Amino acid sequence: MKQLRLEPVKGFRGEVNIPGSKSISNRALLLATLAEGETTLVNLLDSDDIRHMLAALKQLGVGFKLSDDKQTCVVQGLGGPINAAQPQELFLGNAGTAMRPLCAALTLGQGAFTLTGEPRMEERPIGDLVDSLQALGADIRYLKQPGFPPLTISATGLKGGEVEISGELSSQFLTALLMVAPLAKDSVVIKVRGELVSKPYIDITIALMAQFGVKVINHDYRRFELAAGQKYRSPGKVLVEGDASSASYFLAAGALGGGEVKVTGVGKLSIQGDVHFADALAAMGADIEWGDDFIIARAAKLHGIDMDMNHIPDAAMTLATAAVFAEGETCLRNIYNWRIKETDRLHAMATELRKIGAEVEEGHDFIRVVPPAVPKHADIDTYNDHRMAMCFSLLAFADCGVTINDPDCTSKTFPDYFKQFARLTQA
Ligand SMILES: O=C(O)C1=C[C@@H](OP(=O)(O)O)[C@@H](O)[C@H](O)C1
Ligand SMILES: C=C(OP(=O)(O)O)C(=O)O
C-alpha cells in the first residue's frame, strides 16, 4: 500500500483555484444529455466520479467531445430520453451522483440497463428512489440485495402524477426524481416523506434545472410541482463552479497555517451549500473574507463548537479534524448519513482521531471530539474515502506530522489534492 508522510508544516499560504464541483459536473452532464441542443460545459471536474458518468454516457451512445485537459466538454443533447437498442451494463464505481440520477433517467426511454458499482456501492441504499420510480411505472429489479445496487431497468417511460419519496437517508433520491420528472408523460407532484437531509443539494438541482429551462415549484422542500410539457433546452454554456467541499480543506488549512489562503472559483455567489463551511469555520473563530467567487481564510485561534451539520455533511468532516487544533471540545450533530457514504464515516473518523490521541465519542448520529493536549503521529487509514485522506492532511499542522495510507483515493473528487497541498506548504 502506498503511504504519504506529511512532515510538520511550518507555514501554509497562497492561492488555489479549486477544481470543478462534482455535484454540478455530474448534474450538468446528465441534463445536457437530455436537453435539446449542444451544451458546452466549462471547468468540468476531471476525477473518478465524473469519469464514471462520462463512460456511461459514451456507452449509451451520447455524443460528446472532451478537451485535452478534460475540463471542457461539448455535449450533443438528445432532446429527450436515452434509448438503447441493445442491453447495456454500466459500471458506476462508487459515484452516488452517477448511480442515483442514472437509475432514474434510464427509466425514461426504451431499453434494458444494468447498473453496477464497486463493492461499497452495493452497500449504499437506493431503495427509496426505486420505490418512487416504481410508483411512477418503472420496472426495476435488484440483482443481489433488495434496496441496493446492482439492479436492472427495463425501460418503457414514466407516467407521471403524484408520488412520494423519502428524504431521510439521502437527498440524491429526490434530486434524481426531480431531474427526470419533466420527461414523464404527465405533470409530476413530489411529496417528501420524513425529514429531508442534505437540503442544500436540492437547491443545486433546481438551479441547474432552471439553467436548462425547467421550472420547479418548491413548497418549502415538502412538496415539489413540475408542470407537464416542460423540456430541457441547452443554455449554450454552463460554467461549473469550483467544488465547495474541496475548498473546505484549504480554508481550514488557512485558518490553521499561519498564512493567508485564498480559494478561487467558489464564493458568496455559489449555488453550493458547502460554501457555508466557511461560516462554521468562522464560528470556530477563523478569520474569513468573502468575495463573489473567492473565499479567504486567515490564521486564528480556534475554539470548539456544537452545531447541527445536516446541511453540509461532506464539508462537516473537515471540521472534525480541524477540531483537533481548537480549544475545547467540538460536537457535530445530525450526521447519521455519514454512515452510508464512501465508508461508515462516523466510525472511520472516530477510529482515526483516536489514533492521534483525541478523545472521541461516536454517537448514532453525532461525533464529539476532545482535542489531545499534544497530537501523536499516526498512520491514518483512509477506507477508500477521499474525504478521510483530505481531512487528515490537516494533521500536518501538528508538530508530529502525519502519514496518510492510500493517499490516491482522493482521485474520487480531487486527484491533484496532495500536489496542491504541497504547493502551499512553506518549507
Ligand atoms: O447531490 C449531491 O451532489 C450530493 C449530495 C450529498 O449526498 P446525500 O444527499 O446522500 O447526503 C453529498 O454527500 C454528496 O457528496 C453529493
Ligand atoms: C458522499 C460523497 O459522494 P457520493 O456522490 O458518492 O454520494 C462525497 O463525495 O462525499
Side-chain angles (χ1 to χ4, degrees):
M1 181 197 42
K2 186 170 162 185
Q3 291 190 305
L4 176 67
R5 189 182 168 99
L6 298 176
E7 297 304 333
V9 168
K10 304 253 181 341
F12 196 89
R13 66 183 70 91
E15 191 170 314
V16 197
N17 188 30
I18 301 293
S21 153
K22 168 196 76 171
S23 296
I24 297 176
S25 293
N26 271 352
R27 281 168 173 77
L29 280 169
L30 184 57
L31 295 181
T33 295
L34 301 175
E36 220 169 68
E38 179 182 285
T39 308
T40 301
L41 307 178
V42 179
N43 196 39
L44 194 73
L45 176 60
D46 176 23
S47 79
D48 291 350
D49 277 10
I50 280 60
R51 273 179 230 138
H52 288 305
M53 177 64 101
L54 284 168
L57 294 178
K58 188 169 179 186
Q59 204 180 318
L60 293 165
V62 178
F64 61 83
K65 201 166 177 334
L66 270 178
S67 60
D68 289 344
D69 67 3
K70 305 210 174 58
Q71 288 171 29
T72 303
C73 186
V74 181
V75 182
Q76 304 302 326
L78 299 172
I82 299 166
N83 299 306
Q86 301 298 324
Q88 298 293 332
E89 181 170 324
L90 306 169
F91 175 78
L92 302 172
N94 194 10
T97 56
M99 177 61 79
R100 280 75 179 254
L102 278 173
C103 173
L106 291 173
T107 63
L108 289 169
Q110 305 285 322
F113 308 96
T114 299
L115 304 188
T116 72
E118 288 174 14
R120 176 61 182 170
M121 187 54 103
E122 298 186 1
E123 299 171 349
R124 299 185 65 191
I126 196 163
D128 291 332
L129 171 61
V130 169
D131 289 351
S132 302
L133 293 168
Q134 284 170 335
L136 291 175
D139 180 352
I140 303 176
R141 287 164 210 211
Y142 299 110
L143 292 174
K144 289 188 180 167
Q145 216 191 326
F148 297 83
L151 49 80
T152 59
I153 300 165
S154 303
T156 51
L158 288 182
K159 61 181 188 212
E162 191 164 308
V163 65
E164 280 197 9
I165 191 155
S166 167
E168 281 176 323
L169 290 180
S170 171
S171 69
Q172 291 181 14
F173 305 151
L174 175 57
T175 279
L177 200 56
L178 283 166
M179 289 205 288
V180 298
L183 277 74
K185 293 185 181 76
D186 297 320
S187 56
V188 174
V189 173
I190 303 172
K191 285 170 70 182
V192 178
R193 205 172 53 238
E195 260 319 297
L196 174 63
V197 296
S198 309
K199 240 182 226 165
Y201 287 96
I202 299 304
D203 298 332
I204 302 181
T205 305
I206 294 176
L208 262 290
M209 288 171 69
Q211 282 194 47
F212 282 87
V214 166
K215 191 170 169 201
V216 179
I217 303 172
N218 173 1
H219 297 278
D220 198 25
Y221 301 91
R222 310 263 1 130
R223 193 181 151 89
F224 297 85
E225 289 174 38
L226 292 106
Q230 300 196 73
K231 274 199 112 188
Y232 288 121
R233 290 201 174 78
S234 167
K237 192 162 126 181
V238 173
L239 177 63
V240 178
E241 297 175 5
D243 191 297
S245 322
S246 298
S248 70
Y249 313 105
F250 289 99
L251 293 173
L256 299 176
E260 176 175 301
V261 173
K262 180 176 187 179
V263 299
T264 60
V266 66
K268 69 172 178 240
L269 298 184
S270 171
I271 59 170
Q272 299 166 75
D274 265 11
V275 289
H276 295 296
F277 167 83
D279 297 329
L281 199 59
M284 290 179 87
D287 177 1
I288 301 288
E289 181 184 329
W290 289 86
D292 286 351
D293 68 348
F294 69 83
I295 309 174
I296 296 173
R298 299 186 184 91
K301 183 97 199 78
L302 299 186
H303 53 80
I305 50 167
D306 185 330
M307 267 174 98
D308 187 314
M309 288 292 154
N310 196 274
H311 60 304
I312 55 168
D314 293 358
M317 288 177 75
T318 315
L319 297 171
T321 50
V324 170
F325 301 90
E327 198 175 295
E329 65 179 49
T330 287
C331 190
L332 309 176
R333 297 184 188 275
N334 204 2
I335 48 171
Y336 169 78
N337 71 358
W338 275 23
R339 293 197 184 275
I340 54 168
K341 296 185 186 275
E342 279 74 339
T343 184
D344 177 342
R345 289 175 164 172
L346 264 167
H347 188 62
M349 185 58 82
T351 306
E352 300 310 306
L353 283 172
R354 284 184 191 122
K355 281 190 190 168
I356 58 103
E359 191 188 312
V360 185
E361 183 185 357
E362 177 196 332
H364 170 72
D365 66 350
F366 70 88
I367 190 167
R368 187 190 310 279
V369 182
V370 182
V374 182
K376 292 187 291 207
H377 183 97
D379 289 4
I380 299 297
D381 289 319
T382 48
Y383 308 76
N384 206 16
D385 183 351
H386 54 140
R387 299 202 191 284
M388 285 294 288
M390 296 188 280
C391 284
F392 275 89
S393 67
L394 296 181
L395 264 298
F397 290 90
D399 289 340
C400 54
V402 66
T403 298
I404 307 286
N405 293 340
D406 186 23
D408 294 343
C409 65
T410 66
S411 63
K412 190 173 192 280
T413 54
F414 202 158
D416 251 12
Y417 176 75
F418 284 105
K419 226 190 250 171
Q420 298 290 341
F421 191 87
R423 191 173 61 77
L424 269 66
T425 301
Q426 314 292 307

